[in-house]
Amino acid sequence: MTTRAMSLDGVVDRFRFVPSALRRLERAPLAAALDAEIRHVDTWSAGRLAYYVDTRATGRPVVLLHGVDAAASSKEMAPLFDALRGERPVYALDLPGFGLSERADRAYDRELYRAAVRRFLTDVVREPGGADVIALSLTSEFVAAVACEEMSLVHSLVLVSPTGLGREAPGASAVLRTIAHVPPVAGALYRMLASPPSIRWFLKKSFVGAPDPGLVDYAIRTSKEPGAHRAPLAFISGALFTEDAFERLYARLPVPTLIVHDQDPYSRFERLGDLQQRNARVEVARIAPTRGLPHFEQLDATLEVVRRFWAQDPW
C-alpha cells in the first residue's frame, strides 16, 4: 500500500465517527409535557398544532386550554389532565407558538387563537353537543369568543383566573408594546423574561407556596425552543387581549360558565359581581388561598367545585 493510500485511510478513520458526534451536538427534541398520547392537527392559519389525548373513558369530552405567557404549554394543565383522564375523554391543546405546536414566523393575534380553538373543537373533538372546556387566564377570552360565535361547540365553560374582569383594561405598558415591535430589542427582552431566574420568579408569584418544580423545569425547556419568542412577544405587545372583554365576551356568554379564582398577580376580578348580575349563566367559585393556579395547589378543592358544576347539567 502506498503512503498516499495509507494517509487517506487514516483520514477516513479519523472522521468515521463525526456523524455520531454531530448528532450528540444537535438539540434534543422537546419532551412531552404530559404522559399521554400526542397527536397533531394541521390548520390553515396556525400551522401544525400538537395535542395530548386520552379517550379511554366515555362521556362528554373535556378540553383543557393552557394560558399565555413567556413559556406556556399544556404542562400548565397537567394536574387536571391526570385527574380527569380516568373519568372522561380528555384533550389538552398546545396553543399556536407554544409547547409542541408550530412556532413559525406569522402574525400572532387573538383571531389566530380563536380560529385555532374553533378548529380544534370542530375537527378534532367533534362532540355533537359541545365539549366541556376548561381554560386558563387569557385563553379564557379566546374560548369565550368561540362560545359566543358558535355555541354548539361549547357545552360548558370553566374559566380559571380569567383576564378581562378587572376595572382596568389588561395588557402591557406603552413602552413594552413599542419594544415588542423592535426585533433586536424584543429578542433581548424575551431572553431576559425567559431566563431560568425570571421564569422561576414569575411562576413563584402564581403560587402561595413554592412553585411546582415540574412546571418550572418544563417552562425553562420550552422557552429555549426555536421560535419560542414569537407568540410571547405578541402577548407583550397587547395583540392578544380583547378590548372590553367584559361587554364583548363574558356578559354575552350563552353557555353555563364557572369562574374559578382567588388572588392573582396578573388578573383582577372586581367586576365578577357585575357579571353575575348581567349574565345568569355565570357562577363563581373562590378557592383560597391560591394565586392563579388553584389546580396545582388545591387540586381537590378545584375538582370538587368543577364536578359540582358539571353535575348540575340539565343543559
Side-chain angles (χ1 to χ4, degrees):
M1 182 179 293
T2 66
T3 303
R4 178 177 173 81
M6 291 176 63
S7 64
L8 286 175
D9 287 344
V11 169
V12 171
D13 288 340
R14 180 171 295 178
F15 286 95
R16 181 172 296 164
F17 299 104
V18 166
S20 61
L22 289 176
R23 283 195 294 271
R24 287 195 296 271
L25 293 175
E26 291 177 355
R27 177 187 295 272
L30 181 65
L34 306 176
D35 182 15
E37 180 184 355
I38 302 170
R39 298 180 188 173
H40 296 86
V41 58
D42 292 313
T43 68
W44 178 80
S45 59
R48 172 165 272 207
L49 303 180
Y51 63 96
Y52 302 86
V53 58
D54 189 325
T55 56
R56 290 175 296 176
T58 60
R60 188 178 303 281
V62 177
V63 174
L64 305 175
L65 300 174
H66 65 78
V68 176
D69 50 67
S73 73
S74 290
K75 190 71 171 179
E76 297 176 350
M77 309 305 281
L80 292 172
F81 190 97
D82 291 339
L84 295 171
R85 67 192 307 176
E87 303 175 13
R88 309 266 293 275
V90 184
Y91 297 79
L93 173 66
D94 273 342
L95 294 173
F98 294 103
L100 297 178
S101 288
E102 188 175 308
R103 306 183 192 223
D105 188 3
R106 57 170 50 90
Y108 290 90
D109 57 27
R110 59 179 175 267
E111 295 303 328
L112 176 82
Y113 287 94
R114 292 177 180 182
V117 172
R118 186 183 303 109
R119 172 72 189 277
F120 186 69
L121 293 173
T122 302
D123 294 348
V124 175
V125 182
R126 292 183 297 181
E127 175 63 21
D132 289 326
V133 181
I134 303 179
L136 177 64
S137 191
L138 173 56
T139 306
S140 299
E141 295 187 20
F142 307 147
V143 72
V146 172
C148 288
E149 295 165 2
E150 298 187 46
M151 177 181 172
S152 62
L153 297 178
V154 179
H155 182 255
S156 74
L157 282 176
V158 175
L159 307 180
V160 180
S161 303
T163 56
L165 289 170
R167 299 210 179 275
E168 295 183 5
S173 68
V175 173
L176 287 178
R177 288 197 298 270
T178 301
I179 289 174
H181 293 290
V182 181
V185 182
L189 173 64
Y190 181 75
R191 287 191 294 274
M192 179 186 71
L193 293 175
S195 68
S198 290
I199 286 176
R200 293 189 185 97
W201 185 79
F202 281 112
L203 282 175
K204 177 63 180 74
K205 295 177 68 176
S206 294
F207 285 81
V208 173
D212 180 84
L215 181 60
V216 172
D217 179 68
Y218 197 82
I220 291 171
R221 293 188 184 195
T222 191
S223 71
K224 306 306 178 187
E225 288 294 291
H229 63 288
R230 294 185 173 118
L233 287 177
F235 166 63
I236 291 171
S237 75
L240 306 186
F241 292 94
T242 300
E243 184 178 355
D244 197 1
F246 180 93
E247 291 289 346
R248 296 187 177 188
L249 301 176
Y250 301 131
R252 297 178 51 233
L253 277 171
V255 299
T257 300
L258 173 66
I259 295 177
V260 179
H261 77 105
D262 187 28
Q263 300 297 315
D264 190 318
Y266 306 112
S267 297
R268 302 295 295 272
F269 308 106
E270 296 98 340
R271 303 191 71 184
L272 270 178
D274 297 340
L275 179 59
Q276 287 184 282
Q277 292 182 356
R278 290 281 302 277
N279 192 334
R281 298 178 182 85
V282 174
E283 299 181 29
V284 174
R286 186 165 188 170
I287 300 179
T290 56
R291 295 184 58 78
L293 296 171
H295 51 297
F296 275 90
E297 295 199 279
Q298 296 207 36
L299 177 60
D300 289 344
T302 303
L303 289 170
E304 181 181 356
V305 298
V306 170
R307 288 171 174 146
R308 186 186 309 139
F309 170 67
W310 285 340
Q312 300 173 11
D313 191 355
W315 318 315

